[in-house]
Amino acid sequence: MKKYAFAFAALSLTLGAKAHKFDECQFTEQTQEDNKLINIKHSAFKPGEKLTYRLTYGVFDAGEATLQVVETKRTINGRKLWRMIGRGRTISAFEWFYKVDDLYESYMDAQAMVPWVFKRRVDEGGFKINQDYTFFQHKNIVETEKGKKHKVPDRVQDMISAFYYARTIDFSNAKKGQEYEVDIFLDEELFPTKIKYLGKEVIRTRKGKYRCHKFEPVVEQGRVFSSEDAVEVWITDDGNKIPIMAKAKIQVGSIKMHLVGWEGLANPMAIVK
């Protein structure tokens, strides 16, 4: 799955959740000889936002995931951090088939919208991953929990921060076929992730009808996805730019992720009445 996880990172996270303790993680002040960070002005989200997604496999509800932005007093190099938390789980009716229990956390620079610290705790069907990444954004380096250092490009993102960084991109004047790229560091590899703009569309979900922008992540055809255009994502056509629904055709069926709850939004939703 490693080759394809970056595609789902571009949509959001897949699943996961458990109350692991991350308050004990170490935050080291990083000497900033060359401050290359560029601040991003946006109003797409703020601390207090919480999004709840339901994941369906075929016609069955398989799991639920939440994403939230939390205010924190932590700083790095005097720069304020926001704590982005991704939690989720398989719902009880689906756990007999495949149990998922994960947690992701990203401590993002509140002004530059890049991660400084990333934590990942995965437990999926007994398969476990524990990752702790430190991002030295000013040095273009990511250091893993093993002490291994990787050279990365400017503004590199992790699995969770990519979700929020993508929402700061201005695509109000996007043309059909235009591509946007976000570099994601995952499983000690760099994935230059591209999403193609397909235009505007009104969609219906369990919560109502919404004006949306439609995107197509460029994925690799193979063991998981049935074709290169197997994934579609709809993002609200409003100031929030929330991924409200995503569909993926895989080799053994289809997966759909859709927004079922929200609170603390920075802007009104693009609801069609």
Side-chain angles (χ1 to χ4, degrees), residues 55-85:
L55 185 74
T56 60
Y57 178 71
V59 297
F60 300 102
D61 285 344
E64 188 173 86
T66 60
L67 286 161
Q68 60 187 123
V69 185
V70 178
E71 190 85 57
T72 175
K73 294 181 180 180
R74 294 190 185 278
T75 62
I76 287 183
N77 293 331
R79 301 183 67 91
K80 186 177 180 180
L81 301 180
W82 284 352
R83 185 183 180 194
M84 313 321 211
I85 306 171

Side-chain angles (χ1 to χ4, degrees), residues 33-208:
E33 300 94 346
D34 180 16
N35 187 352
K36 299 185 297 183
L37 296 182
I38 300 174
N39 294 339
I40 293 179
K41 292 183 179 181
H42 76 92
S43 58
F45 52 86
K46 61 183 179 180
E49 180 189 88
K50 183 178 180 180
L51 307 175
T52 302
Y53 290 90
R54 183 59 58 92
L55 185 74
T56 60
Y57 178 71
V59 297
F60 300 102
D61 285 344
E64 188 173 86
T66 60
L67 286 161
Q68 60 187 123
V69 185
V70 178
E71 190 85 57
T72 175
K73 294 181 180 180
R74 294 190 185 278
T75 62
I76 287 183
N77 293 331
R79 301 183 67 91
K80 186 177 180 180
L81 301 180
W82 284 352
R83 185 183 180 194
M84 313 321 211
I85 306 171
R87 291 192 174 105
R89 61 183 178 82
T90 40
I91 59 177
S92 57
F94 206 76
E95 286 186 346
W96 65 271
F97 177 69
Y98 190 78
K99 185 175 181 179
V100 173
D101 189 9
D102 304 345
L103 176 59
Y104 302 81
E105 283 197 83
S106 180
Y107 285 82
M108 290 188 74
D109 192 297
Q111 294 176 292
M113 288 291 104
V114 293
W116 289 99
V117 174
F118 173 66
K119 301 285 177 177
R120 183 185 183 194
R121 300 295 183 264
V122 167
D123 188 349
E124 299 177 355
F127 175 71
K128 297 184 179 182
I129 296 176
N130 295 307
Q131 292 177 342
D132 299 82
Y133 293 165
T134 301
F135 288 77
F136 296 84
Q137 294 284 352
H138 53 295
K139 296 181 179 180
N140 297 105
I141 289 174
V142 177
E143 184 173 354
T144 72
E145 73 284 350
K146 301 174 185 177
K148 188 175 181 179
K149 295 182 179 180
H150 299 262
K151 194 71 176 175
V152 293
D154 290 344
R155 311 199 64 82
V156 69
Q157 304 291 328
D158 60 48
M159 289 180 68
I160 296 300
S161 68
F163 174 89
Y164 291 98
Y165 173 71
R167 291 172 61 189
T168 70
I169 297 174
D170 181 11
F171 44 78
S172 57
N173 297 315
K175 300 290 191 288
K176 190 173 181 179
Q178 186 172 343
E179 292 186 352
Y180 298 85
E181 185 170 324
V182 179
D183 292 315
I184 301 175
F185 186 80
L186 169 67
D187 291 336
E188 300 194 39
E189 291 186 51
L190 182 68
F191 293 95
T193 307
K194 293 182 179 181
I195 54 175
K196 183 188 298 182
Y197 183 68
L198 299 182
K200 293 187 178 184
E201 191 172 303
V202 174
I203 65 164
R204 181 185 294 274
T205 73
R206 296 180 186 180
K207 303 295 288 186

